[in-house]
Amino acid sequence: MSMAQLVAAGAPELPEGWFYRITTTGFGYPTVQIRQPGRWFGSREVSYAIVRSEEHENGDVAVIAACVKAWERLKEDEDYARKVREALTLRGDHDPRGGR
């Protein structure tokens, strides 16, 4: 199945150069990875989701659901990282007397 077919079936469209990889875990469970091109070569995983085939009527639907879950996980991780960066802008001592 191509990227265009995955998107047409309901998987979220990814940024330019990113792609889905369907693989297995070390225990043999099918997994969807969202991958981003590496800086010089290859690619790196930025999100993943295990394909839950028992929850869907067929494997194709289960893979699309895992693509959606991996995308949602990526957005949650980005939101968390943004909040951490915002909190770290307040790093330092906050003297209740106004400082010196």
Side-chain angles (χ1 to χ4, degrees), residues 23-58:
T23 186
T24 57
T25 65
F27 297 107
Y29 297 109
T31 304
V32 169
Q33 298 175 350
I34 295 178
R35 299 189 70 86
Q36 174 183 34
R39 183 171 258 172
W40 291 286
F41 59 91
S43 63
R44 69 179 189 95
E45 179 184 308
V46 294
S47 187
Y48 75 97
I50 295 174
V51 177
R52 311 290 284 187
S53 53
E54 69 279 358
E55 297 177 3
H56 302 281
E57 63 269 9
N58 63 47

